[in-house]
Amino acid sequence: MFSELNRILPLGLRYMLLSAFGFSLMAACVKAVSQYDIPVLEIVAARAIVSLVISYLDVKRKRISIWGENKTLLIARGAAGFVALLCGYFAMTALPLAEATMLKHLSPIFTALMALLFLKEQIQRSTMLCIVLSIIGLVIMVKPDLIFSSTVNELPLISVVAALFGSLVAAVAYVIVRRLSQVEDSSVIIFYFPLIALPISVALLGDNFVMPGFEALILLLLVGIFTQIGQVGLTKALQYEEAGKATAYSYVQVLFALILGWALFSEIPTFWTLAGGGFIISGALINVLWKR
């Protein structure tokens, strides 16, 4: 039974599924807490505080140095992660959960290309097909009139741009993580993310801090906890799979976002969202099951 499970769901894929579920719950909490008028930078700072504590305890548990060896790349990973997180959180608060999640998932496309350029990782045919289907799906969802003659309500431009830029910077972070995973412990890599994100977000927040109530405080804590689960899964997945292929697995997060958006925020996906999502999920399944 376990050998069959390992054949169908390799360890890297299982870690990425865990990551996708954790990030989906995080996105739902971000959208929920934003309804309490909590600024995006404050959400980022709260997430960083929780992750910093958890990451620090994890590193100390392993009895290894918290500073790592390649400090330049570790700091770059933290900075890139902060920018990607800020853009992603902004998109989540301004867009329906499913649409924000799908736009975020352009990052595997950028990751595969950057991994080819900087890590010399070849793009497999299954990943190439996944990328093509995903692009088609994203176009159908965001701008269906480019393909079909239809009149639809367009998504806010600034939110779409933020999501796309966040995806690009996230790809940079993924490639850096892939490189660091060869020489650094995963807990140290994760620790540097909140270590860099916290002081930057606090400095930029300035006087815009809003004292959260009890419910908002709980949601902020959950943002940090669920993000940590997603981050651990992602970092572990990148240790077992090539960067482009591992992050392509994360497309299953789209399905989680559709379910959570409907269940928690009464967001009914449009026909175009479902059609585009169908292409994206199909690409992900082809990528995962190609070798079978």
Side-chain angles (χ1 to χ4, degrees):
M1 177 178 177
F2 288 106
S3 60
E4 180 68 15
L5 179 63
N6 288 330
R7 187 173 69 87
I8 299 175
L9 295 176
L11 188 58
L13 174 55
R14 277 179 277 171
Y15 274 123
M16 187 53 74
L17 291 176
L18 174 65
S19 173
F21 187 60
F23 283 135
S24 296
L25 292 174
M26 174 272 297
C29 290
V30 168
K31 191 172 186 66
V33 77
S34 69
Q35 297 175 355
Y36 292 88
D37 296 324
I38 303 296
V40 173
L41 280 168
E42 187 172 336
I43 301 175
V44 173
R47 172 260 190 265
I49 291 173
V50 175
S51 293
L52 188 65
V53 173
I54 296 175
S55 300
Y56 177 78
L57 293 176
D58 187 43
V59 173
K60 298 306 289 184
R61 177 185 61 84
K62 293 183 176 181
R63 297 182 178 180
I64 57 178
S65 171
I66 62 175
W67 305 116
E69 299 296 331
N70 194 331
K71 296 179 179 60
T72 300
L73 273 185
L74 286 167
I75 292 173
R77 185 269 178 273
F82 165 74
V83 174
L85 189 68
L86 181 62
C87 293
Y89 279 11
F90 176 78
M92 290 172 197
T93 60
L95 295 170
L97 200 58
E99 280 81 347
T101 302
M102 289 185 187
L103 287 172
K104 169 191 171 186
H105 279 80
L106 270 175
S107 56
I109 300 174
F110 298 131
T111 302
L113 295 176
M114 290 185 179
L116 174 64
L117 293 174
F118 298 108
L119 302 181
K120 308 305 179 184
E121 293 180 357
Q122 295 300 313
I123 301 178
Q124 299 179 11
R125 284 180 295 173
S126 57
T127 303
M128 293 177 63
L129 184 56
C130 172
I131 289 172
V132 171
L133 290 175
S134 298
I135 291 175
I136 295 173
L138 287 165
V139 171
I140 291 175
M141 181 196 72
V142 177
K143 196 72 173 175
D145 57 314
L146 292 179
I147 302 177
F148 308 100
S149 296
S150 59
T151 301
V152 295
N153 294 326
E154 294 186 2
L155 298 175
L157 179 60
I158 187 173
S159 302
V160 172
V161 171
L164 295 180
F165 185 70
S167 296
L168 174 61
V169 180
V172 175
Y174 292 151
V175 172
I176 294 175
V177 169
R178 178 66 176 169
R179 175 66 64 85
L180 286 171
S181 295
Q182 310 305 316
V183 295
E184 301 284 359
D185 187 270
S186 61
S187 297
V188 175
I189 299 173
I190 295 171
F191 173 73
Y192 262 81
F193 188 8
L195 182 67
I196 301 302
L198 179 57
I200 297 177
S201 57
V202 170
L204 294 177
L205 180 62
D207 298 330
N208 295 321
F209 175 78
V210 174
M211 180 60 68
F214 178 75
E215 292 182 359
L217 181 61
I218 295 299
L219 287 171
L220 287 172
L221 290 174
L222 290 176
V223 167
I225 292 172
F226 288 137
T227 305
Q228 190 73 6
I229 293 173
Q231 192 66 47
V232 170
L234 173 62
T235 303
K236 288 291 187 181
L238 289 171
Q239 289 181 320
Y240 290 97
E241 295 286 348
E242 292 182 352
K245 195 171 186 64
T247 51
Y249 293 154
S250 64
Y251 278 121
V252 73
Q253 187 178 339
V254 173
L255 179 60
F256 295 146
L258 287 169
I259 296 173
L260 291 173
W262 168 74
L264 301 178
F265 306 105
S266 300
E267 295 175 348
I268 305 300
T270 66
F271 168 79
W272 300 114
T273 296
L274 294 175
F279 275 90
I280 292 173
I281 296 300
S282 297
L285 289 175
I286 290 173
N287 191 46
V288 171
L289 301 177
W290 183 273
K291 290 184 178 181
R292 290 188 62 195

